[in-house]
Amino acid sequence: MRHATLILLVGLSLTGMLLPQQVGPDHVDITWMSISNMFYEIGPLGIVTDGYITRIPQSEFYGGGGGLAFTRNAHAPDVDGVRRVMNAIGGAAKIQILLSGHSHFDHSFDTATWSRLTSARIIGPKSTCLQAEAEKIPAARCTAVFGMEKISLAPGVTMRVVRFNHSGDPATNAEQHNPVELEKAPVPDPSTGGLRGGVAEDFPNGGGVRGYLFVVEGPQGRFSWFFQNSASDVDFRVPIVDNGKDYGAPDENLKAAMKDAGLDSVDLWIGTGGAAIARLVVPIIKPKAYLPVHWDGLYAAFGGGMPRAYSDRALEQFLAESGVNLLKPGQYMDKWRLNRNGVQPVANTAVKSALGFPDVQSFAR
């Protein structure tokens, strides 16, 4: 399986070309901003992944096996909330790329708002692009990816797209789990301009999940991390078929990306799915460290901070047995620095203070 190569150098988009070997920055700073919202600072390149700051109340959802199929009302993004976070992490100029891991409301609902505020380009499922178009973001600003793409983001910084499945089970919550893409841009509510956040409405999963494997050719040597924001152990080894097209099984897709990158292991895995997924992913990517995301709930207001302490005994035990260092989050906007020598916590006091969060961070098991 081959990866198609794209070059996306801060707004420049070319295809079918390869960059000569170049040296990238010596580290990446990684900030966890709640749920699966990440902010990567890779030298001058700033990337926000998912970026869901708005919260649609749980009472708005109903139907389907997971209770998330439909919404009682259309909702508009919390633009002021997104702007507040954007300003806290350095302002519009700090962000050039927006990644979407999949197109459910708790991942891509604010993507168009981030793009409007920053003019950053979007990379993600076709559904995310169509959602952004519905909010009047130019179609040319979004690059749809389907899996197996190899993208040069900056000199010495390469990202491979890994097609994954979504959590759940086709027997119990098919509308949430099964791969579904939008075929056209949703129509905003004529009164509010909002969209309907249900997973069977304007925010299907986008044909499953897009994982992202990053490799940086640093001056002291390469370092790498893998991000995924959902997965199911039920059919992890079963090909993802969307609209009649076979996109490969998640395990084989991940193996192919690792092989293409020339990696036997990654320095950091940022992911979700608990022990069940870890038992499937860890043997493939052999991470040195793991940062859990998407464990803190969907509905509590972002401004309230982390709603509870992280705990997953089964996963913690498996990671310890596998020699994987667990990075335990202590608060929203916790920050780590990854380089050739591994990952270490970084103080993020000013950002947390700007958002009203106590400056608490945990790093050890």
Side-chain angles (χ1 to χ4, degrees), residues 19-185:
L19 286 174
Q21 186 68 33
Q22 298 187 54
V23 176
D26 65 0
H27 71 271
V28 55
D29 283 342
I30 298 171
T31 301
W32 175 60
M33 304 194 299
S34 80
I35 310 184
S36 61
N37 307 318
M38 310 302 301
F39 177 43
Y40 305 130
E41 298 171 88
I42 316 172
L45 179 64
I47 302 174
V48 167
T49 301
D50 291 350
Y52 177 59
I53 305 303
T54 301
R55 296 293 190 262
I56 301 176
Q58 186 174 10
S59 59
E60 285 290 290
F61 292 93
Y62 69 96
L68 297 172
F70 307 104
T71 47
R72 305 182 195 285
N73 300 281
H75 288 263
D78 179 3
V79 177
D80 289 341
V82 174
R83 182 182 289 110
R84 184 166 174 255
V85 175
M86 180 193 72
N87 288 336
I89 62 177
K94 291 277 287 187
I95 302 160
Q96 292 80 42
I97 294 175
L98 305 169
L99 294 181
S100 172
H102 68 276
S103 304
H104 280 163
F105 73 96
D106 52 322
H107 300 276
S108 66
F109 195 81
D110 290 335
T111 300
T113 298
W114 281 97
S115 187
R116 183 174 298 107
L117 294 175
T118 65
S119 297
R121 67 178 304 112
I122 302 166
I123 301 172
K126 180 180 75 171
S127 294
T128 298
C129 292
L130 292 171
Q131 291 159 355
E133 283 184 44
E135 296 192 54
K136 297 184 170 31
I137 299 300
R141 197 182 290 176
C142 189
T143 299
V145 290
F146 301 90
M148 301 303 296
E149 293 89 353
K150 176 180 175 183
I151 302 175
S152 296
L153 298 174
V157 181
T158 304
M159 181 182 78
R160 290 167 175 83
V161 183
V162 183
R163 188 69 169 251
F164 255 42
N165 60 2
H166 192 276
S167 66
D169 187 328
T172 58
N173 59 348
E175 76 289 339
Q176 186 175 336
H177 167 80
N178 292 355
V180 176
E181 285 268 33
L182 291 173
E183 294 302 321
K184 59 183 179 180

Side-chain angles (χ1 to χ4, degrees), residues 7 13 37 46 119 134 147 181 187 251 317 319 347 354 359:
I7 300 174
S13 177
N37 307 318
S119 297
E181 285 268 33
V187 178
D251 67 329
Q317 181 177 347
L319 294 174
D359 190 16

Side-chain angles (χ1 to χ4, degrees), residues 269 277-287 318-319 322 324:
W269 172 28
I277 290 301
R279 291 189 181 97
L280 297 170
V281 171
V282 166
I284 299 174
I285 65 174
K286 302 177 179 64
F318 173 76
L319 294 174
S322 304
V324 180

